[in-house]
Amino acid sequence: MFRSMQIYLHFYFFNIRKHRFKQYCVYFYQIKTVPFNVRVTFNYIYGCKNTNYELNQKMRDPFINVLFIFMLLLFFNCTKDIDSIPEDIEINNFVWKGMNSYYYWQSDVPDLADTRFANQGELNVFLRSFYAPEELFQDLRFQPGVIDRFSWIVDDYVALENSFQGIRLTNGMEFKLFVYKENTTNVYGVVYYVIPGSNAEVQGVLRGDVFSAINDTQITVDNYRSLLFGENSNYTLNVSDFKTGNPEVNGTNIVLVKEEFQENPIAISKTFNEGSKKIGYLLYNQFASSFDLQLNSAFSYFKSEAVTDLIIDLRYNGGGSVRTATYLASMINGTNTGKLFSQEFWNEKVVKNTSPDYFENNFTDQITSNDDNIPIESLSLNTVYFIVTDDTASASELVINGMKPYIDVKLVGTKTVGKQVGSITVYDSDNYRRTGSNLNVNHTYAMQPIVLEIKNSQGQNNPEGYLPEIVLSEDFGREDGTINLGVLGERSDILLDRTINFITTGSRPSFKNRNYNQEKALIDSKVIQPFSQEMFVENFR
């Protein structure tokens, strides 16, 4: 990273015998005293431990002997200082070097340039100007919120790793918040998903439930974060009647407790018999690699049922593993084994030092699990139907995009997020991996920076999101005073019902949406989680 360096150090010593000051100039490459004939030449390269030098001197004055020894000691001490990383900035040092190595927009950030600092000492000065690793990380991002919308840093990489496998602290209730129709300071929530087996399910929370208060306190635009997303491990949900967007508590109270819980992303897998068609339906909520085999089992079921059509419901799927996305695509259509599913584009530094085939993700007929190769249970469908919403992102969009060059892809729902970039987890070790040597045990910081853009085999993606053929939103409340989200996996769910009609009739009927809450949510409990829309590469090189 750093080049050879030449630093001038000037010292003034009082020559008692001659009663005058002498100036001695110290170089890392050359040490000489003036006017005495003493010369030391050093060959020092940053990062090397060996230092070669030659000494030529004519020491007619004993004072020079003492001075020379002092300068040697000072030189080696200064060398150590330039190489060293003080403990108070070791995390900042990890942040800068990790971002310098892998960040997708590294070349666009001046402070991440390879030539920005001449040596570690200069870098240390820069790092000390930031009071916390989070501040430095944000400063190094390229146009955060505009270009880079998805890079993260965490102070607990164990929680980060768990989140990628569906493990998190939750009561199991996912909801959207809306402002009141008449009093826009007040806020109410509508439950759209209850995680099977969670505390919320045990306590009887249902999809479509409305609430407007927590612990008997009205939810407002000012307090909803502290009431619902604070450090409190439990709270009382005050259930309410909808009242056409001006909910009122109805006396039903439910105590909910947050606990560490692992969600199975394969929420529903079933079939529908519709005339001559056998339609498979999969509600899939996260591309979590620890559930790859269960995903394969769902397709084994579809295969045994001889499904003719397939609906994959990604409405609440914010993404996950690129490898798992490749497996899912291979399960949908097994006739493309070995063909290019997607291609990754990293920064120039990574590309220069990596084999080109590493950036290609091909359709496969096997799942690699614990060093075993498990045959993929694949279908041979020419058309696949996806249910999508504004919660559908990253790896979900990758499957949609990656399948388009090979089969007919149909979408029902609302426009997706438009996340065509992916990340890796960067740890503070020699090679930035969790298993890398010299993993720093003094902290648990890790970064999830964007490191790649991903495209399909035709070099296409869509950062604006994918617009469905049939645009239809979920029913979070109508102007006629009703609210009906239906039951997931049943035809009472308007999105599933409309998709089945699309399959059986091919028609795209017009629909006047009376849902005045469409696209007006104040917050989504799932999206507010920092890792809910990740697309990441596991086991990167």
Side-chain angles (χ1 to χ4, degrees):
M1 179 178 64
F2 296 119
R3 298 174 180 170
S4 304
M5 51 188 137
Q6 180 170 315
I7 299 178
Y8 298 79
L9 303 175
H10 293 82
F11 299 92
Y12 292 87
F13 297 94
F14 187 71
N15 188 325
I16 298 176
R17 187 176 58 182
K18 295 190 177 181
H19 302 285
R20 67 174 183 269
F21 283 95
K22 300 289 185 180
Q23 178 176 332
Y24 299 93
C25 301
V26 181
Y27 299 67
F28 274 110
Y29 276 115
Q30 188 176 58
I31 297 179
K32 63 181 180 180
T33 62
V34 182
F36 300 99
N37 183 17
V38 178
R39 185 178 72 252
V40 180
T41 302
F42 288 85
N43 177 21
Y44 182 84
I45 305 297
Y46 179 84
C48 301
K49 294 183 178 180
N50 296 324
T51 303
N52 302 314
Y53 64 90
E54 64 175 328
L55 171 64
N56 295 301
Q57 58 176 317
K58 295 178 182 178
M59 295 188 176
R60 298 175 180 174
D61 189 335
F63 173 70
I64 299 302
N65 289 301
V66 177
L67 176 62
F68 176 68
I69 293 172
F70 171 79
M71 287 189 297
L72 283 180
L73 292 173
L74 179 64
F75 167 73
F76 285 110
N77 186 58
C78 290
T79 300
K80 181 179 178 181
D81 289 343
I82 289 177
D83 283 340
S84 66
I85 302 166
E87 288 185 6
D88 63 318
I89 57 170
E90 64 177 358
I91 301 176
N92 282 5
N93 181 71
F94 149 65
V95 169
W96 189 90
K97 290 181 178 176
M99 293 286 278
N100 169 266
S101 296
Y102 286 105
Y103 190 48
Y104 183 63
W105 296 283
Q106 182 262 340
S107 62
D108 295 306
V109 180
D111 282 338
L112 283 176
D114 293 343
T115 57
R116 173 66 175 83
F117 305 102
N119 53 58
Q120 182 69 44
E122 286 190 11
L123 175 59
N124 289 349
V125 173
F126 172 76
L127 298 179
R128 277 206 169 91
S129 66
F130 298 91
Y131 70 90
E134 291 84 356
E135 182 194 15
L136 171 62
F137 183 80
Q138 294 303 321
D139 186 75
L140 296 177
R141 291 174 63 195
F142 181 56
Q143 296 185 33
V146 179
I147 301 299
D148 180 3
R149 297 179 290 159
F150 301 104
S151 292
W152 296 91
I153 184 171
V154 298
D155 59 7
D156 182 0
Y157 57 66
V158 175
L160 174 65
E161 294 164 347
N162 285 343
S163 72
F164 291 155
Q165 303 306 326
I167 303 171
R168 57 191 173 95
L169 189 67
T170 180
N171 56 34
M173 181 182 72
E174 302 294 358
F175 53 88
K176 290 189 178 183
L177 296 181
F178 301 89
V179 296
Y180 275 51
K181 186 176 182 180
E182 294 180 358
N183 183 350
T184 56
T185 299
N186 287 345
V187 171
Y188 68 94
V190 180
V191 179
Y192 65 80
Y193 188 67
V194 179
I195 300 174
S198 68
N199 178 258
E201 184 187 53
V202 171
Q203 297 303 318
V205 177
L206 299 173
R207 173 176 163 87
D209 279 351
V210 178
F211 60 94
S212 60
I214 297 294
N215 301 328
D216 297 321
T217 299
Q218 171 67 49
I219 306 171
T220 68
V221 293
D222 296 320
N223 68 15
Y224 73 86
R225 289 185 179 273
S226 60
L227 290 176
L228 290 162
F229 306 107
E231 297 298 323
N232 49 323
S233 61
N234 60 74
Y235 54 74
T236 298
L237 191 75
N238 304 130
V239 182
S240 306
D241 295 326
F242 181 54
K243 298 290 186 179
T244 318
N246 299 291
E248 298 176 359
V249 295
N250 60 22
T252 301
N253 300 315
I254 302 175
V255 177
L256 297 178
V257 179
K258 298 176 185 177
E259 56 190 0
E260 190 172 87
F261 186 84
Q262 183 171 29
E263 177 184 356
N264 184 341
I266 301 105
I268 301 173
S269 56
K270 63 184 296 185
T271 59
F272 294 87
N273 292 305
E274 298 290 332
S276 62
K277 293 183 177 295
K278 175 68 75 73
I279 302 173
Y281 171 79
L282 173 68
L283 175 59
Y284 186 50
N285 291 331
Q286 183 183 19
F287 290 82
S289 59
S290 56
F291 289 90
D292 287 345
L293 297 184
Q294 289 90 325
L295 181 61
N296 200 38
S297 295
F299 274 80
S300 177
Y301 165 68
F302 292 146
K303 193 173 182 179
S304 67
E305 290 290 305
V307 300
T308 58
D309 299 89
L310 179 64
I311 301 170
I312 300 181
D313 194 338
L314 301 175
R315 73 179 79 185
Y316 306 135
N317 193 321
S321 166
V322 170
R323 183 175 62 187
T324 299
T326 307
Y327 289 155
L328 176 58
S330 301
M331 294 172 192
I332 295 170
N333 188 304
T335 65
N336 299 307
T337 299
K339 295 181 181 178
L340 182 62
F341 168 63
S342 65
Q343 48 190 327
E344 302 168 9
F345 298 84
W346 296 55
N347 73 35
E348 293 180 4
K349 296 172 67 172
V350 176
V351 171
K352 184 178 179 180
N353 295 287
T354 308
S355 174
D357 60 358
Y358 173 74
F359 305 115
E360 297 180 349
N361 302 302
N362 296 326
F363 288 93
T364 181
D365 58 3
Q366 293 182 328
I367 293 174
T368 301
S369 176
N370 297 323
D371 297 325
D372 293 328
N373 292 320
I374 311 299
I376 281 182
E377 301 288 349
S378 62
L379 307 176
S380 299
L381 301 175
N382 294 319
T383 304
V384 62
Y385 298 81
F386 292 103
I387 295 176
V388 297
T389 65
D390 57 0
D391 287 341
T392 305
S394 61
S396 290
E397 294 171 298
L398 172 60
V399 174
I400 293 168
N401 189 41
M403 296 299 296
K404 280 181 174 289
Y406 298 98
I407 65 174
D408 196 7
V409 175
K410 304 292 187 183
L411 306 181
V412 176
T414 55
K415 190 177 181 181
T416 65
V417 171
K419 183 175 185 289
Q420 80 291 357
V421 289
S423 63
I424 57 175
T425 306
V426 181
Y427 299 89
D428 190 2
S429 70
D430 287 351
N431 64 358
Y432 302 108
R433 277 74 163 173
R434 178 77 144 88
T435 56
S437 58
N438 297 317
L439 177 68
N440 192 332
V441 297
N442 295 328
H443 67 86
T444 54
Y445 270 88
M447 295 183 292
Q448 201 69 32
I450 294 302
V451 299
L452 63 93
E453 180 178 2
I454 199 159
K455 301 180 180 181
N456 65 17
S457 60
Q458 297 179 346
Q460 301 168 333
N461 60 27
N462 192 343
E464 302 301 320
Y466 295 92
L467 186 66
E469 286 84 352
I470 297 179
V471 177
L472 181 63
S473 62
E474 292 188 283
D475 183 358
F476 281 95
R478 299 185 180 186
E479 292 177 348
D480 61 9
T482 64
I483 180 170
N484 182 17
L485 286 170
V487 178
L488 289 170
E490 303 294 337
R491 295 199 66 167
S492 59
D493 166 30
I494 190 173
L495 293 182
L496 175 56
D497 182 68
R498 186 55 55 89
T499 307
I500 292 175
N501 284 338
F502 191 17
I503 292 173
T504 56
T505 67
S507 64
R508 307 178 187 180
S510 60
F511 180 79
K512 184 178 180 180
N513 198 327
R514 295 174 294 166
N515 177 8
Y516 68 85
N517 278 336
Q518 184 181 7
E519 299 180 358
K520 291 183 180 180
L522 174 66
I523 204 74
D524 185 324
S525 65
K526 192 167 187 177
V527 174
I528 201 172
Q529 301 166 31
F531 319 119
S532 64
Q533 296 181 340
E534 284 297 328
M535 174 167 58
F536 56 89
V537 174
E538 299 171 291
N539 302 318
F540 70 97
R541 299 177 189 177

